[in-house]
């Protein structure tokens, strides 16, 4: 089995609030034999520095482009709100980086298909995470719907 550690750069880390801080970073730390957190990039350099310091991460990149361009980053974890996914995932894929994107990959099927094709063209992977399905609040709502507590669900957005 290979002993290479994959370098992970995270985009969008808010201490104590974001999926990155509450789920991704602890998971990566627990898998330290295979992954190492290279650093983070947030919407501003100052925000990134504060988040890195709060979470014990050594590097805060000055911006997303610097993180993506880093030769130490093999995998870019995109954990920001969905409207920014297409732009950020596209940049990472075009740079030849693997991407782990908090669900959804894009805003709709068209963007997801385009990103999937781009990953294939670049010979890298684009994967999504669906941790929200395990969130206590989401599981509670699922139970309420299953019990018929809120009536017949006709649609959701």
């Amino acid at each position: 089995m290979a002993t290479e550690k994959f370098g992970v750069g995270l985009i969008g880390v808010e201490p104590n609030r974001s999926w990155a801080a509450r789920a991704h970073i602890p998971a990566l730390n627990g898998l330290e034999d295979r992954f190492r957190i290279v650093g983070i990039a947030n919407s501003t350099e100052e925000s990134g520095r504060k988040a890195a310091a709060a979470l014990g991460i050594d590097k805060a990149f000055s911006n997303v482009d610097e993180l993506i361009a880093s030769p130490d980053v093999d995998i870019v974890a995109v954990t920001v709100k969905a409207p920014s996914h297409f732009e950020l995932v596209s940049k990472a894929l075009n740079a030849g980086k693997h991407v782990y994107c908090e669900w959804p990959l894009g805003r709709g099927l068209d963007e997801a298909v385009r990103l999937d094709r781009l990953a294939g063209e670049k010979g890298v992977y684009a994967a999504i995470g669906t941790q929200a399905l395990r969130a206590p609040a989401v599981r509670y709502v699922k139970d309420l719907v299953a019990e018929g507590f809120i009536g017949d669900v006709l649609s959701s957005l």
Side-chain angles (χ1 to χ4, degrees), residues 27-63:
L28 289 167
N29 287 334
L31 297 167
E32 63 186 352
D33 60 322
R34 298 291 296 159
F35 300 95
R36 61 185 168 76
I37 298 172
V38 174
I40 64 169
N42 280 352
S43 56
T44 68
E45 186 174 0
E46 179 182 352
S47 169
R49 277 196 313 270
K50 287 179 180 178
L55 295 165
I57 296 172
D58 292 335
K59 181 162 181 66
F61 290 92
S62 61
N63 58 54

Side-chain angles (χ1 to χ4, degrees), residues 7 36 38 61 65-75 97:
R36 61 185 168 76
V38 174
F61 290 92
D65 293 333
E66 182 186 10
L67 179 146
I68 290 171
S70 172
D72 294 329
V73 173
D74 303 302
I75 302 168
K97 308 290 180 162

Side-chain angles (χ1 to χ4, degrees), residues 19 130-145:
W19 276 115
T130 56
Q131 285 80 347
L133 296 175
R134 298 286 181 222
V138 173
R139 291 173 66 165
Y140 179 64
V141 169
K142 177 186 176 280
D143 291 343
L144 291 176
V145 171

Side-chain angles (χ1 to χ4, degrees), residues 1 12 61 70 80 88 92 102 127 146 149:
M1 187 168 196
F61 290 92
S70 172
V80 298
L88 297 173
E102 189 56 44
F149 182 79

Side-chain angles (χ1 to χ4, degrees), residues 24 75-79 98-102 125-131:
H24 303 308
I75 302 168
V76 175
V78 177
T79 64
H98 300 290
V99 172
Y100 176 89
C101 184
E102 189 56 44
Y125 294 102
I128 61 166
T130 56
Q131 285 80 347

Side-chain angles (χ1 to χ4, degrees), residues 75-97:
I75 302 168
V76 175
V78 177
T79 64
V80 298
K81 293 181 180 170
S84 300
H85 287 188
F86 186 80
E87 175 190 359
L88 297 173
V89 172
S90 294
K91 284 182 177 187
L93 295 174
N94 276 313
K97 308 290 180 162

